[in-house]
């Protein structure tokens, strides 16, 4: 076994895929997670995982078209080479998951079944009921457990990542805290893979799990790692609201034939079943005849928002629309059982008989730690025109055309030895992620970019100076920094009276409300400036924060309060990047700049943190658009040449709704 | 962005629900009870045990007006797919995310009792250490022994019916409800004893799952070997409590019966091979 070690932080799909791949190559892995890895947020993914497959291929689909959809779906903000490699690998990833025993749904003949998903006209989404994320996570959890039992992976569950140890410009380990004993200590490694997911909790209630604070990414960011496209936050069109969180109603509900509608008559008080077909407004189908209910998420979200807020057509006059599955056959209901159960349990109605009532909610962070890649072998002299759906692909699907396999730069941050896999990085999805591409990108990062991590150990700096040669003082310094920080939070216990303003839970609530109002479906300059100022006020409140628990054992509210400080830093980056992107693109829609502006803004926003001043600056950095020429992203919308027309209706109503 | 309102406005616009919570500061520390009142109204539509615990965390004051510490509990997905937030609610083990207040405490003044699971050591308050649940998955080698992650083509073809059965078994989220309800699965804080005490319904069902898979079958002998030893399938007392509390409706008793039969055949075969 190698004398090198790799630390993986996060045990969702990306972290587990990385652990398995790296351990398999003979390098021991230390796997850190704030929860038992089997409970990671990947379990919440429902609908499926995209990959070109034989049936779709014979109908004219190709890996290249999957790539094209991904770039178009992301409104041309993603670096193109990495997305190409991911699409080319997708079928191999499905095969591997299949070998691991994932119970993918089957056809009558026993082949893997497929369903339709947003942003495609072909069935190219593999699925396991409506709990695909759970099933994929379990398969990787099982493989990780196998390596754990062989001593190749060591798990540190209920350990929280606090800070990367960076010495001479390279990452040589981490400092982490045992959430039970509260012990803070350093761990050495030759490379660190961050796989810590998204930052939904910055928005308060979202479809994310309680652990998706973004704190780990925010800590790397404050330690000098750049953060790409923080303003690109996906608001999923269909979620059930709740008092503690919003719960996702998978896009597969629409992929399997679910229809979104509202009564044509404003304030219609009739029950849905009493409303005849002609009096129902299937607004997605009417506006987007080609894609209908499976337009990409940002578009569906804005249309639902607009129908409720601008047109006042929300069901029972509220901000909600119907997602109707009542017309579907029992076999389809069975395929969607996982999510129908969730609706039944949490909303108290049976969606087989009553249309569900849903509304958009924060769901996914396209942005994240900024990462690099080594371009692959496909480099046309000029970017090609957008691919015509069903046409023969210009290239085959051989690997290595998008990214160089095994290159040590793949999915690496601006810090040597520090990698970012999965949702925590900013790659692949641009300004909007297509449904069922998230599971793919997580596993792709782990399997494909994991090889680059191993090669970095073999041929990069660790080959000459392994972690053992790094001075202990580098680690001690960070441990002391974190101990000081912890003490300063614990020391607030019992100081002063019952101050609501300094309550960390209320600071978080107010942060969530503010960011949801200003930085989600509809944004505009003045409101964003106000948001930035309010985040400043929240930071000021945070500096006077008071903790209610001084325990030195399993102090959960301490951990939460510390994370709130990190969320505030991310909030700054999200608001600032939203302000500086004076255009509309994908999930980022500004009423004051309703058009896409490729000349000025087809660039990545890169946020950098000044540790001395504790401030964020955002710069625009060129991206790799060398494969496909940008085109207007219309999805064949009927009432306008482009989506722009719709976008140019900045209304007071929208602003009101978001206030 | 304001969300949709919940479908059912309750009879009373606002009511108060009391939460009686077992508190414990850490391993070996005594349990004490604290009671909190939480207001349920239109604002808190769709309230569940989690949202009430969140409210208590932000306002940790008991009904007597005593300031205390926020309650510690385990939670992740809040959609009943991760298994984390399992606890004993009004005497019944279940996930706290799907415990809706309108259902468990519909009237003003209703009381909800929250306790940690009893078959696992308490870390603090409602949070218990369930390492043993995962350990027992290692005992039955709950994985498919693949050759590695290189591309070697697709997995075995499978009839839809077999997939359907495996899928149901594979939705087990290792929450531990079946263990909490099991008379045979007693609390064991010493990890050294875990390998010889009852493995539990969840692990038996996972053994069945992997023995059904074409490649997973390769380890069937090793799994059955583990299940014929101490703490194996013979330890099941057939109380059938497990299947009643499983939040995923996994046919645990079918799995136990299937593993019981397979283990018997395995033992007999082994006897004659000797």
């Amino acid at each position: 076994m190698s004398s090198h070690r790799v630390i993986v932080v996060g045990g969702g799909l990306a972290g587990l895929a990385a652990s398995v791949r790296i351990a398999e190559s003979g390098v021991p892995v230390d796997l850190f997670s704030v929860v038992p890895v089997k409970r990671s947020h990947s379990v919440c993914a429902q609908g499926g995982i995209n990959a070109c497959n034989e049936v779709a291929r014979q109908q004219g689909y190709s890996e290249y078209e999957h790539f094209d959809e991904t770039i178009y779906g992301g409104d041309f903000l993603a670096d193109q080479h990495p997305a190409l490699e991911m699409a080319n690998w997708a079928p191999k990833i499905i095969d591997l998951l299949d070998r691991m025993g994932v119970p993918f749904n089957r056809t009558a003949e026993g082949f893997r079944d497929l369903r339709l998903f947003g942003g495609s006209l072909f069935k190219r989404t593999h699925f396991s009921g409506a709990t695909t994320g759970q099933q994929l996570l379990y398969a990787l959890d099982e493989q990780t457990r196998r390596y754990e039992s062989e001593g190749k992976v060591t798990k540190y569950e209920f350990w929280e990542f606090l800070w990367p140890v960076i010495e001479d410009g390279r990452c040589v380990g981490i400092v982490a805290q045992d959430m039970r004993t509260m012990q803070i200590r350093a761990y050495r490694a030759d490379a660190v893979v961050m796989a810590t997911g998204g930052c939904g909790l910055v928005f308060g209630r979202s479809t994310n799990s309680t652990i998706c604070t973004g704190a780990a990414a925010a800590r790397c960011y404050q330690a000098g790692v750049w953060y790409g496209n923080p303003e690109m936050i996906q608001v999923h069109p269909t979620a059930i609201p709740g008092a503690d969180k919003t719960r996702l109603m998978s896009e597969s509900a629409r992929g399997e034939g679910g229809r979104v509608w509202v009564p044509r008559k404003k304030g219609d008080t009739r029950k849905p079943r009493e409303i005849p077909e002609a009096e129902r407004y299937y607004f997605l189908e009417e506006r987007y005849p080609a894609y209908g209910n499976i337009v990409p998420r940002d578009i569906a979200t804005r249309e639902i928002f607009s129908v409720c807020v601008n047109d006042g057509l929300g069901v029972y006059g509220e901000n909600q629309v119907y997602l109707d599955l009542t017309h579907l056959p029992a076999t389809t209901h069975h395929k969607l059982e996982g999510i129908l159960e969730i609706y039944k349990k949490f909303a108290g109605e049976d969606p087989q008989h009553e249309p569900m009532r849903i509304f958009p909610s924060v769901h996914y962070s396209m942005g994240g730690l900024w990462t690099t890649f080594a371009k692959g072998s496909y480099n046309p002299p000029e970017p090609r025109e957008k691919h015509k759906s069903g046409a023969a692909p210009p290239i085959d699907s051989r690997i290595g055309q998008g990214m160089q396999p095994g290159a040590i730069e793949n999915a690496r941050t601006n810090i040597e030895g520090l990698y970012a896999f999965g949702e925590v990085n900013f790659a692949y999805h641009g300004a909007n992620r297509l449904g069922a591409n998230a599971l793919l990108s997580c596993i792709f990062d782990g399997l494909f970019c994991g090889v680059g991590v191993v090669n970095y150990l073999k041929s990069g700096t660790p080959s000459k100076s392994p972690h053992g040669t790094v001075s202990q003082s580098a680690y001690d310094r960070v441990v002391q920094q974190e101990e000081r920080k912890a003490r300063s939070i614990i020391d607030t216990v019992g100081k002063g009276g019952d101050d609501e303003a300094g309550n960390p839970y209320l600071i978080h609530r107010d942060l969530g409300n503010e960011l949801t109002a200003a930085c989600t479906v509809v944004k505009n300059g003045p409101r964003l400036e106000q948001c930035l100022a309010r985040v400043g006020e929240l930071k000021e409140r945070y500096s006077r924060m008071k903790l209610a628990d001084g325990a030195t054992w399993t102090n959960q509210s301490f951990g939460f309060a510390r994370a709130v400080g990190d969320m505030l830093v991310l909030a700054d980056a999200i608001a600032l990047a939203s302000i500086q992107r004076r255009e509309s693109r994908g999930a980022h829609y500004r009423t004051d700049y309703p058009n896409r502006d490729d000349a000025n803004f087809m660039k990545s926003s890169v946020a950098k943190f000044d540790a001395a001043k504790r401030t964020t600056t955002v710069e625009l950095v060129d991206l790799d658009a060398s494969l496909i020429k940008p085109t207007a992203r219309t999805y064949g919308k009927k009432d306008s040449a482009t989506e722009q027309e719709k976008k140019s209706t900045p209304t007071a109503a929208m602003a009101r709704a978001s206030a | 962005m304001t969300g949709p309102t919940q479908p059912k406005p309750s009879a009373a616009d606002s009511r108060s629900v009391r939460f009686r919570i077992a508190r414990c500061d850490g391993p070996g520390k005594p349990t004490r009870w604290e009671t909190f009142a939480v207001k349920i109204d239109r604002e808190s539509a769709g309230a569940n045990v989690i949202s009430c615990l969140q409210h208590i965390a932000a306002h940790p004051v008991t009904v007597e007006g005593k300031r205390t510490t926020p309650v510690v509990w385990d939670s992740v997905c809040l959609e009943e797919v991760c298994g984390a937030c399992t606890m004993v609610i009004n005497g019944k083990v279940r996930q706290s995310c799907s415990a809706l207040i309108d259902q468990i405490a519909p009237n003003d003044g209703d009381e909800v009792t929250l306790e940690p699971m009893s078959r696992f050591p308490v870390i603090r308050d409602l949070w218990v250490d369930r390492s043993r649940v995962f350990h027992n998955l290692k005992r039955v080698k709950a994985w498919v022994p693949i050759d590695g992650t290189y591309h070697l083509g697709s997995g075995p073809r499978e009839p839809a019916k077999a997939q359907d059965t495996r899928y149901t078994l594979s939705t087990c989220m290792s929450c531990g409800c079946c263990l909490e309800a099991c008379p045979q699965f007693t609390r064991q804080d010493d990890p050294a004893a875990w390998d010889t005490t009852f493995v539990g319904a969840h692990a038996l069902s996972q053994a069945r799952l992997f023995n059904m898979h074409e490649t997973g079958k390769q380890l069937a002998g090793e799994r059955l070997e583990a299940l014929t030893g101490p703490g194996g399938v013979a330890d099941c007392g057939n109380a059938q409590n497990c299947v009643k509390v499983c939040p995923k409706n996994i046919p645990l008793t079918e799995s136990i019966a299937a593993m019981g039969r397979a283990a018997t055949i395995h033992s007999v075969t082994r006897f004659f091979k000797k």
Side-chain angles (χ1 to χ4, degrees):
Chain A
M1 220 184 239
S2 160
S3 63
H4 289 123
R5 298 192 81 78
V6 170
I7 283 175
V8 175
V9 184
L13 286 177
L16 295 185
S19 298
V20 167
R21 186 66 142 188
I22 293 167
E24 178 183 84
S25 72
V27 178
V29 172
D30 294 312
L31 173 58
F32 287 78
S33 171
V34 291
V35 291
V37 295
K38 192 176 177 177
R39 309 203 195 287
S40 301
H41 177 62
S42 303
V43 291
C44 289
Q46 299 171 342
I49 174 166
N50 294 332
C52 181
N53 54 82
E54 284 319 308
V55 177
R57 194 187 304 285
Q58 288 170 43
Q59 292 167 348
Y61 194 65
S62 59
E63 284 84 350
Y64 188 85
E65 184 163 347
H66 180 192
F67 154 66
D68 182 87
E69 288 167 350
T70 302
I71 296 300
Y72 183 68
D75 220 349
F76 299 91
L77 192 65
D79 285 313
Q80 297 186 353
H81 276 90
L84 173 64
E85 192 66 22
M86 176 176 80
N88 284 346
W89 266 73
K92 298 185 199 338
I93 286 172
I94 302 293
D95 280 345
L96 173 61
L97 294 165
D98 192 17
R99 283 170 49 223
M100 286 178 180
V102 171
F104 283 116
N105 275 57
R106 299 284 161 170
T107 62
E109 211 180 319
F111 291 106
R112 292 178 303 230
D113 200 1
L114 297 155
R115 65 165 49 127
L116 200 56
F117 238 74
S120 187
L121 298 171
F122 291 90
K123 282 193 180 180
R124 48 106 161 101
T125 303
H126 304 251
F127 63 102
S128 195
T131 62
T132 311
Q134 181 196 44
Q135 294 305 311
L136 302 195
L137 183 75
Y138 288 2
L140 287 165
D141 171 69
E142 289 146 11
Q143 295 302 319
T144 305
R145 187 167 293 105
R146 176 186 176 198
Y147 281 130
E148 186 192 13
S149 71
E150 292 170 10
K152 294 172 182 167
V153 172
T154 308
K155 280 184 192 157
Y156 293 83
E157 291 174 329
F158 295 122
W159 277 78
E160 183 175 1
F161 167 86
L162 298 183
W163 210 260
V165 178
I166 298 168
E167 181 75 349
D168 297 328
R170 87 174 151 125
C171 184
V172 290
I174 67 165
V175 167
Q177 181 170 33
D178 185 327
M179 293 161 69
R180 293 148 299 189
T181 66
M182 309 295 283
Q183 181 200 14
I184 292 175
R185 60 159 290 193
Y187 288 86
R188 288 170 177 265
D190 297 284
V192 172
V193 176
M194 299 301 296
T196 52
C199 62
L201 253 70
V202 175
F203 296 82
R205 277 176 268 181
S206 72
T207 64
N208 284 191
S209 294
T210 57
I211 51 174
C212 304
T213 60
R219 289 166 191 162
C220 290
Y221 172 60
Q222 292 166 84
V225 181
W226 300 344
Y227 198 99
N229 297 335
E231 73 277 29
M232 292 304 173
I233 296 290
Q234 179 165 81
V235 179
H236 195 288
T238 61
I240 333 166
D244 52 342
K245 78 171 299 194
T246 59
R247 295 181 174 82
L248 179 67
M249 269 305 116
S250 169
E251 189 166 305
S252 56
R254 285 173 285 137
E256 294 284 359
R259 305 176 74 185
V260 174
W261 63 277
V262 289
R264 285 197 188 272
K265 198 175 90 194
K266 214 176 205 173
D268 199 326
T269 54
R270 287 175 294 177
K271 291 212 166 68
R273 271 182 297 179
E274 294 163 2
I275 302 175
E277 197 67 15
E279 293 172 42
R280 298 176 177 194
Y281 183 19
Y282 294 97
F283 52 96
L284 291 175
E285 297 170 32
E286 289 188 23
R287 294 176 188 178
Y288 301 89
Y291 287 85
N293 292 290
I294 52 155
V295 285
R297 292 175 177 177
D298 59 318
I299 294 175
T301 290
R302 273 193 297 276
E303 296 290 359
I304 292 170
F305 195 81
S306 166
V307 154
C308 292
V309 177
N310 291 351
D311 309 339
L313 288 172
V315 173
Y316 301 134
E318 305 281 353
N319 283 337
Q320 52 187 2
V321 300
Y322 288 127
L323 170 56
D324 197 344
L325 309 180
T326 57
H327 58 288
L328 298 175
T331 47
T332 305
H333 287 150
H334 183 58
K335 284 198 264 184
L336 296 170
E337 202 171 350
I339 57 167
L340 302 190
E341 280 297 316
I342 289 178
Y343 191 84
K344 215 185 291 181
K345 266 187 180 149
F346 291 95
E349 286 178 336
D350 186 349
Q352 297 190 46
H353 306 296
E354 292 292 323
M356 297 187 273
R357 279 178 285 185
I358 52 91
F359 197 67
S361 176
V362 167
H363 179 56
Y364 188 87
S365 322
M366 275 77 72
L369 300 178
W370 183 85
T371 46
T372 59
F373 58 92
K375 262 188 202 178
S377 60
Y378 174 56
N379 288 290
E382 283 291 316
R384 300 181 61 89
E385 295 295 332
K386 182 176 171 10
H387 184 67
K388 195 169 166 297
S389 181
I395 50 169
D396 63 22
S397 61
R398 255 174 309 173
I399 64 165
Q401 296 181 96
M403 285 156 95
Q404 277 175 37
I408 65 173
E409 304 92 316
N410 290 339
R412 193 183 69 190
T413 68
N414 57 307
I415 305 287
E416 186 188 342
L418 185 55
Y419 292 80
F421 291 3
E423 187 176 352
V424 79
N425 73 28
F426 90 125
Y428 311 114
H429 310 301
N432 171 64
R433 176 177 65 74
L434 289 187
N437 260 356
L439 301 183
L440 176 61
S441 62
C442 288
I443 299 173
F444 172 70
D445 272 343
L447 295 180
F448 183 84
C449 302
V451 179
V453 175
V454 174
N455 287 341
Y456 166 65
L457 308 186
K458 287 187 196 151
S459 63
T461 315
S463 65
K464 291 169 285 261
S465 358
H467 65 78
T469 64
V470 178
S471 140
Q472 182 59 32
S473 63
Y475 299 92
D476 295 344
R477 215 165 37 236
V478 182
V479 168
Q480 284 154 15
Q481 165 200 310
E482 290 305 312
E483 282 175 342
R484 270 197 309 278
K485 195 191 291 172
R487 208 170 311 119
S488 74
I489 295 173
I490 288 284
D491 281 351
T492 64
V493 176
K495 294 243 174 83
D498 187 9
D499 183 4
E500 291 266 298
N503 184 322
Y505 294 95
L506 301 184
I507 295 173
H508 174 249
R509 180 198 63 191
D510 295 347
L511 171 70
N513 288 341
E514 178 59 20
L515 268 276
T516 302
C519 298
T520 54
V521 186
V522 182
K523 310 179 191 179
N524 70 67
R527 183 66 187 86
L528 287 166
E529 293 286 355
Q530 187 185 35
C531 174
L532 204 56
R534 286 186 182 165
V535 171
E537 289 161 21
L538 290 169
K539 283 186 183 165
E540 200 277 323
R541 272 171 65 185
Y542 186 76
S543 70
R544 293 183 285 112
M545 192 244 311
K546 281 185 204 72
L547 201 62
D549 188 356
T552 52
W553 171 267
T554 319
N555 191 333
Q556 216 170 35
S557 50
F558 158 79
F560 180 77
R562 180 172 49 196
V564 171
D566 299 305
M567 288 188 239
L568 286 163
V569 173
L570 270 193
D572 246 357
I574 292 166
L576 201 61
S578 296
I579 289 171
Q580 294 194 203
R581 186 174 288 284
R582 292 184 302 280
E583 64 157 353
S584 290
R585 183 184 296 273
H588 172 80
Y589 168 56
R590 282 185 57 166
T591 51
D592 46 353
Y593 295 96
N595 299 319
R596 198 175 82 189
D597 177 359
D598 289 341
N600 292 305
F601 291 102
M602 207 170 90
K603 294 183 162 110
S604 307
S605 302
V606 178
K608 297 180 183 177
F609 188 74
D610 183 325
K613 293 192 222 144
R614 296 199 55 75
T615 51
T616 282
T617 49
V618 178
E619 358 180 315
L620 291 170
V621 172
D622 284 339
L623 55 85
D624 163 27
S626 58
L627 305 183
I628 308 174
K629 259 185 225 162
T631 48
R633 181 172 175 265
T634 63
Y635 286 96
K637 188 170 184 181
K638 218 179 172 186
D639 63 358
S640 65
T642 69
E643 209 199 329
Q644 315 301 358
E645 192 178 307
K646 185 80 206 158
K647 287 181 176 177
S648 61
T649 52
T651 63
M654 268 201 177
R656 257 205 315 283
S658 63
Chain B
M1 188 162 61
T2 40
T5 46
Q6 288 296 310
K8 13 171 209 340
S10 58
D13 276 328
S14 167
R15 67 185 200 275
S16 178
V17 171
R18 290 161 76 92
F19 284 84
R20 192 165 163 269
I21 301 175
R23 306 289 311 262
C24 172
D25 291 337
K29 302 277 172 64
T31 297
R32 61 182 195 282
W33 290 88
E34 283 179 351
T35 306
F36 304 85
V38 178
K39 199 172 88 176
I40 305 292
D41 55 19
R42 255 187 86 83
E43 288 291 295
S44 55
N48 54 6
V49 167
I50 296 282
S51 68
C52 293
L53 283 171
Q54 287 172 339
H55 176 84
I56 293 167
H59 309 91
V61 180
T62 68
V63 285
E64 295 86 11
K66 189 185 96 181
R67 282 199 74 81
T68 181
T69 50
V71 178
V72 172
W73 81 99
D74 194 5
S75 71
V76 182
C77 80
L78 312 186
E79 298 181 0
E80 213 186 63
V81 280
C82 82
C85 69
T86 311
M87 57 182 76
V88 178
I89 301 172
N90 289 342
K92 184 176 179 257
V93 67
R94 60 181 297 181
Q95 277 73 53
S96 47
C97 63
S98 54
L100 301 188
I101 303 304
D102 280 351
Q103 288 166 7
I104 62 170
N107 304 307
D108 186 47
D110 278 352
E111 189 169 273
V112 176
T113 306
L114 304 181
E115 296 168 89
M117 297 168 88
S118 65
R119 303 299 158 89
F120 303 97
V122 172
I123 298 174
R124 190 177 167 191
D125 294 342
L126 303 171
W127 185 14
V128 296
D129 180 353
R130 280 174 282 178
S131 311
R132 191 178 165 199
V133 178
F134 298 108
H135 175 88
N136 286 352
L137 295 179
K138 286 187 206 159
R139 286 170 69 186
V140 298
K141 297 190 193 299
W143 54 75
V144 173
I146 59 165
D147 284 350
T149 60
Y150 289 89
H151 186 230
L152 299 170
S154 70
R157 243 164 92 182
E158 183 177 36
K161 218 171 165 184
Q163 180 276 339
D164 202 46
T165 308
R166 280 206 312 120
Y167 174 73
T168 304
L169 299 180
S170 187
T171 55
C172 172
M173 50 190 184
S174 306
C175 65
C177 282
C178 57
L179 306 177
E180 179 70 16
C182 173
Q184 258 57 47
F185 189 89
T186 51
R187 180 165 158 174
Q188 180 49 264
D189 291 4
D190 177 13
W194 289 353
D195 279 336
T196 50
T197 47
F198 185 41
V199 69
H202 78 298
L204 289 166
S205 190
Q206 290 287 300
R208 178 184 172 211
L209 167 66
F210 289 96
N211 281 2
M212 285 175 70
H213 185 267
E214 274 310 307
T215 317
K217 247 176 221 172
Q218 304 306 315
L219 298 179
E222 290 174 55
R223 290 191 194 103
L224 294 173
E225 194 63 31
L227 293 183
T228 48
V233 64
D235 279 25
C236 168
N238 204 24
Q240 308 200 10
N241 293 351
C242 50
V243 73
K244 291 180 201 132
V245 296
C246 177
K248 296 285 130 182
N249 300 315
I250 296 169
L252 292 168
T253 43
E254 273 176 36
S255 291
I256 295 170
M259 286 299 97
R261 282 192 302 274
T264 306
I265 294 165
H266 177 77
S267 301
V268 171
T269 320
R270 190 180 50 184
F271 177 81
F272 285 110
K273 271 188 189 158
K274 267 181 189 167

